Amino acid sequence: MSRTGTMAASSEPVAADGKPELLVLRALKLGDLLVAVPALKGIRRAFPEHRLRYAAQGWLSEALGLVGGYELLPTHGLDEPLAMDPGVVDVAINLHGSGPESQGRIEALKARRTVGHLSKHRDGPPWRPELHERERWVRLLEWHGIDADPLDVQLNMPHVPSPVPGATVLHVGAAYGSRLWPAERFAAVASALAEAGHQVVFTGGKSERERAVEVCRLAGLPGTAMLAGVLGLGEFAATVAGARLVVSADTGAAHLASAYGTPSVVLFGPAPPEIWGPPPGPHVVLTREDLRRGDTFAADPDPALLAVQVPDVMAAVRGLGVL
């Protein structure tokens, strides 16, 4: 069997439209999708004749559209079987992980060809925890004969314009308390940037709006700066793509800045930048590795994040030449 995957054999399962089915499992969040973009692009190039599906949470549909070429298969984590009958999928690719849960979901598809890490079911490269996420998935594909470039992180431009072109984006929320830089420090940065002539706006999801409102109030900025809980995912991407600067924790906002080459300052806490950090470009990472506790699910900020002070952020902004 050829490893390139570019030719369809007569025995391949096909969809109603005559195309063989390819499914990628990565039922995670926005940042996880964005660091997998180099791998997703490599897969798209290697399988031009396939119908490409990406199994993840439904709210990521707009972001997946920025990658191009994939349909979203709504999948809520690994709690339930994938919504594909056994034998329908021609190629199944596990970009979720290497544990028994994701492997089990992939194996249940009974695909003609499976791409994954080494397991009791399949041959593949061994899992290497020290690799950067972009490199991890590119290495997996290359082992299976699929070319990809770990620096190919660019996304398509959103179909909607930025509501605030040229603004400076402060994304003050995060999924876990371990990544929440203190509100008063974000406020101090916002105030200093506004005084320097930046149009500062605050972004975030609906669950992050209360925190963003607090930061906005502490910074003494008008309510018009509040975009948290207001923007759709496409509008959020457009805002980051057209921004002058992004200041964020290690979240989807930071990965969007990487994808669009927007200057960014990224504050790292429990996650190591050598695994999740931005690619080369106008991006500055701030953290204190020697203080890292590394508990992603902690309710309080990681010491590596708390060690970052307001002057550190402002110095990074100056170093990027946007102050």
Side-chain angles (χ1 to χ4, degrees):
M1 180 176 64
S2 170
R3 280 188 162 190
T4 61
T6 58
M7 298 298 292
S10 60
S11 60
E12 290 174 340
V14 295
D17 60 5
K19 291 184 177 182
E21 295 269 10
L22 181 150
L23 184 135
V24 174
L25 173 62
R26 192 163 174 81
L28 298 164
K29 298 179 180 178
L30 176 60
D32 303 284
L33 165 62
L34 297 177
V35 295
V37 165
L40 293 174
K41 287 186 171 183
I43 293 166
R44 187 178 64 202
R45 287 191 296 267
F47 296 92
E49 298 177 356
H50 282 66
R51 180 182 184 184
L52 307 180
R53 296 181 187 261
Y54 182 85
Q57 297 182 39
W59 65 274
L60 289 171
S61 180
E62 281 189 273
L64 184 64
L66 300 175
V67 180
Y70 287 83
E71 301 174 44
L72 190 126
L73 181 72
T75 304
H76 186 69
L78 302 177
D79 297 337
E80 299 178 357
L82 294 165
M84 300 286 284
D85 292 333
V88 169
V89 173
D90 178 49
V91 181
I93 302 179
N94 187 355
L95 297 188
H96 189 98
S98 66
E101 294 87 358
S102 63
Q103 290 174 3
R105 294 302 183 211
I106 288 289
E107 291 299 323
L109 295 173
K110 298 188 182 302
R112 185 183 66 87
R113 180 183 179 191
T114 296
V115 174
H117 283 88
L118 180 65
S119 73
K120 66 179 182 180
H121 304 287
R122 304 282 175 177
D123 198 9
W127 182 270
R128 289 178 53 188
E130 79 281 5
L131 290 180
H132 194 287
E133 278 287 292
R134 291 188 305 273
E135 296 174 359
R136 180 191 318 288
W137 304 114
V138 164
R139 173 177 174 269
L140 169 66
L141 296 182
E142 290 179 340
W143 192 96
H144 288 276
I146 302 167
D147 291 333
D149 179 357
L151 298 181
D152 189 9
V153 301
Q154 293 78 21
L155 293 172
N156 297 329
M157 291 299 294
H159 293 300
V160 295
S162 169
V164 282
T168 286
V169 173
L170 267 63
H171 193 88
V172 302
Y176 305 107
S178 62
R179 297 181 181 180
L180 291 178
W181 202 47
E184 61 273 15
R185 298 188 197 178
F186 263 123
V189 169
S191 179
L193 290 172
E195 289 178 4
H198 287 237
Q199 180 190 0
V200 176
V201 297
F202 301 98
T203 60
K206 291 181 179 178
S207 64
E208 298 166 322
R209 181 174 174 82
E210 183 177 346
R211 176 176 167 84
V213 167
E214 178 189 8
V215 175
C216 184
R217 179 185 61 79
L218 290 173
L221 296 182
T224 53
M226 274 297 306
L227 299 180
V230 174
L231 304 177
L233 199 48
E235 293 173 310
F236 175 44
T239 299
V240 172
R244 179 179 181 181
L245 169 71
V246 173
V247 181
S248 169
D250 170 32
T251 66
H255 296 296
L256 281 172
S258 295
Y260 291 117
T262 302
S264 64
V265 179
V266 188
L267 314 176
F268 271 80
E274 58 269 23
I275 295 178
W276 290 96
H283 316 294
V284 178
V285 166
L286 297 178
T287 189
R288 276 286 303 274
E289 180 180 358
D290 57 313
L291 299 179
R292 181 171 298 121
R293 181 177 56 202
D295 182 359
T296 298
F297 305 107
D300 58 319
D302 194 282
L305 179 66
L306 289 179
V308 178
Q309 303 294 327
V310 171
D312 300 324
V313 174
M314 299 308 298
V317 173
R318 284 191 293 272
L320 288 169
V322 291
L323 185 63

